[in-house]
Amino acid sequence: MLSLVIVLVVRVLYVMYHCGKPFPKGASRSLTTLIVLGSGGHTAEMLSLLSVLRMDRFTPRFYIAAATDNMSLHKARSFEHSLADKPATKEASLQYTQIYRSREVGQSYVTSVWTTILATVHALWLMIRIRPQVILCNGPGTCIPLCVIAFLFKVVGIRWSSIFYVESVARVQKLSLSGLLLYKLRIADQFFVQWPQLQKNYPRAHYVGCLM
Amino acid sequence: MEDGENDGKRLVFVTVGTTSFDALVKAVVSENVKEELHKRGYTHLLIQMGRGIYSPPKDDGADGSLAVDYFTFSSSIADYIRSASLVISHAGSGSIFETLKLGKPLIVVVNEDLMDNHQCELAEELEERKHLYCARPHTLHQTLTKMELESLVRCAPGDGTPVARIIDRFLGFPDD
């Protein structure tokens, strides 16, 4: 039992050490990419990032948004549609999925036990199906279960993935809760902030200026 | 700053976003704010009031006063912003950057009733950089009387390429 715990701890530390280490040049061709859309301004920022990425490198692409968010997947579809006249975007390599959230604003704590279990199982099911190599996310909370599962996949050896988190432009002085978790637990391989003040407080973050 | 002027119509567009912000709606239709807007040459006040329960009194402006109209939601907020001479908005980053990108003068009104009020961070930072004015519902009139639109500085458009470059290098893709 003790040796199992030690092996696990060593493995977790090894994974944490390796997160944030870049891949050697020429290592990648085309990577299965999971894009988590966070609704509203988050989605707008994410699409603005996607518009400058070389999309042939991030194929196939899976978009996930909260089940209560009606707009984001629609926006992702029209974004992909605007790319479609460029070559090499096959419809089959694109998927759009909604995910249950563990707790909606104003939901009671009693029912949220049940919804949290449901949300976790759903997230696990999606992650097993997708097994992404790259995860792009920028908050809010929707991305947390997916990123935690991705980290566990790294520990267990199911799939190695690189997690990129861009903190919202709305955060000037303090990180969001999601950002703070992914930064402190070193779950995000690369962490980006859009204001220089934040970079001072979180030195492992890249300051990249405004996305919008 | 551009001005969406046509046929002498100068529109002030107010947007509260997807939720409700009755305190802002009440503030913009208060007599002293309407008077100040009128004094500054604005002719129309159009309010997107979201899920708010307070419906402001409509006014067709026939007697030469400020015309007031409102609606709840629209899928083409950008068109309203484009036709406006001044935008008064809630502090959501989506509305803020949409307005700044279109080069419209902007007053952001921070909702003090929100629990997680990190949104004022962004508005205050952008005010510091002279991209917009930042107010609270009860200071809106004061902000209007003091504002000098000529002193606003246009916001440079955002750019995702620094992030993209770091992601590509990290994953071992060659630089193009």
Side-chain angles (χ1 to χ4, degrees):
Chain A
M1 186 64 196
L2 184 68
S3 57
L4 194 71
V5 171
I6 292 171
V7 166
L8 202 64
V9 168
V10 169
R11 177 65 190 171
V12 168
L13 290 176
Y14 171 81
V15 169
M16 282 173 98
Y17 169 76
H18 258 271
C19 283
K21 295 274 177 297
F23 290 48
K25 210 161 212 161
S28 316
R29 275 209 185 81
S30 169
L31 301 167
T32 306
T33 303
L34 171 64
I35 298 152
V36 190
L37 300 172
S39 84
H42 295 275
T43 298
E45 287 178 40
M46 179 57 78
L47 293 178
S48 148
L49 168 60
L50 295 181
S51 69
V52 292
L53 281 176
R54 285 258 316 258
M55 289 313 238
D56 55 316
R57 295 171 171 178
F58 302 91
T59 303
R61 290 187 287 286
F62 295 82
Y63 289 91
I64 288 188
T68 46
D69 173 6
N70 303 320
M71 285 308 293
S72 289
L73 292 182
H74 177 71
K75 284 182 186 157
R77 276 202 187 90
S78 46
F79 166 74
E80 287 289 351
H81 201 74
S82 72
L83 297 178
D85 35 49
K86 294 174 193 165
T89 354
K90 275 173 262 153
E91 281 297 311
S93 63
L94 297 170
Q95 269 195 47
Y96 308 88
T97 314
Q98 289 190 308
I99 187 168
Y100 293 111
R101 286 182 64 170
S102 46
R103 192 169 173 271
E104 293 303 334
V105 180
Q107 192 188 331
S108 86
Y109 284 99
V110 183
T111 58
S112 71
V113 174
W114 164 241
T115 50
T116 301
I117 295 170
L118 188 72
T120 310
V121 171
H122 190 218
L124 195 59
W125 161 244
L126 289 175
M127 287 295 285
I128 290 171
R129 233 189 43 192
I130 300 169
R131 289 192 307 283
Q133 294 165 292
V134 172
I135 299 179
L136 301 175
C137 54
N138 61 348
T142 329
C143 65
I144 294 295
L146 299 165
C147 290
V148 170
I149 292 167
F151 186 82
L152 294 178
F153 279 11
K154 290 192 204 186
V155 172
V156 181
I158 294 178
R159 171 71 99 187
W160 190 270
S161 58
S162 306
I163 301 176
F164 301 100
Y165 183 89
V166 189
E167 186 58 286
S168 156
V169 70
R171 302 295 176 152
V172 182
Q173 309 285 353
K174 285 193 326 206
L175 291 182
S176 64
L177 184 59
S178 311
L180 194 67
L181 277 171
L182 296 180
Y183 182 90
K184 289 282 182 196
L185 299 176
R186 293 172 187 255
I187 290 177
D189 290 73
Q190 298 285 288
F191 196 97
F192 303 93
V193 295
Q194 304 189 45
W195 295 101
Q197 298 95 308
L198 270 181
Q199 207 265 337
K200 266 185 219 141
N201 297 331
Y202 302 93
R204 279 187 282 120
H206 298 278
Y207 163 61
V208 288
C210 284
L211 273 182
M212 298 301 291
Chain B
M1 291 274 165
E2 285 162 41
D3 211 339
E5 222 164 328
N6 46 31
D7 333 319
K9 180 180 174 180
R10 295 187 74 224
L11 173 72
V12 179
F13 179 58
V14 181
T15 175
V16 309
T18 51
T19 56
S20 66
F21 191 0
D22 281 347
L24 169 58
V25 179
K26 282 179 189 159
V28 289
V29 297
S30 70
E31 282 311 317
N32 56 1
V33 165
K34 282 202 297 187
E35 203 182 288
E36 182 63 31
L37 290 174
H38 189 239
K39 213 159 73 189
R40 283 181 172 259
Y42 298 107
T43 58
H44 291 70
L45 178 61
L46 180 60
I47 303 165
Q48 181 263 320
M49 57 173 274
R51 286 189 213 143
I53 45 172
Y54 173 72
S55 309
K58 289 195 181 192
D59 187 335
D60 61 6
D63 52 352
S65 63
L66 188 71
V68 181
D69 199 0
Y70 64 86
F71 62 89
T72 54
F73 292 104
S74 166
S75 55
S76 53
I77 292 293
D79 294 336
Y80 290 107
I81 296 174
R82 211 169 279 126
S83 65
S85 304
L86 172 69
V87 177
I88 301 176
S89 166
H90 73 120
S93 66
S95 304
I96 291 179
F97 284 104
E98 197 159 12
T99 307
L100 294 182
K101 254 191 226 169
L102 291 168
K104 298 294 181 175
L106 172 63
I107 301 174
V108 168
V109 180
V110 174
N111 190 349
E112 291 169 310
D113 299 333
L114 288 183
M115 287 230 291
D116 176 21
N117 209 347
H118 70 269
Q119 289 194 319
C120 65
E121 275 182 31
L122 176 65
E124 282 164 5
E125 179 67 29
L126 292 170
E127 180 178 53
E128 194 109 314
R129 292 166 186 243
K130 292 203 170 300
H131 296 317
L132 51 78
Y133 285 98
C134 183
R136 316 275 152 169
H138 64 275
T139 63
L140 179 60
H141 176 250
Q142 206 185 332
T143 306
L144 276 171
T145 50
K146 281 190 317 195
M147 80 175 183
E148 295 161 23
L149 294 182
E150 315 74 55
S151 69
L152 287 178
V153 179
R154 187 143 186 178
C155 187
D159 183 10
T161 46
V163 185
R165 197 176 309 122
I166 294 169
I167 290 177
D168 275 343
R169 287 212 182 127
F170 183 87
L171 294 171
F173 289 121
D175 296 329
D176 346 60

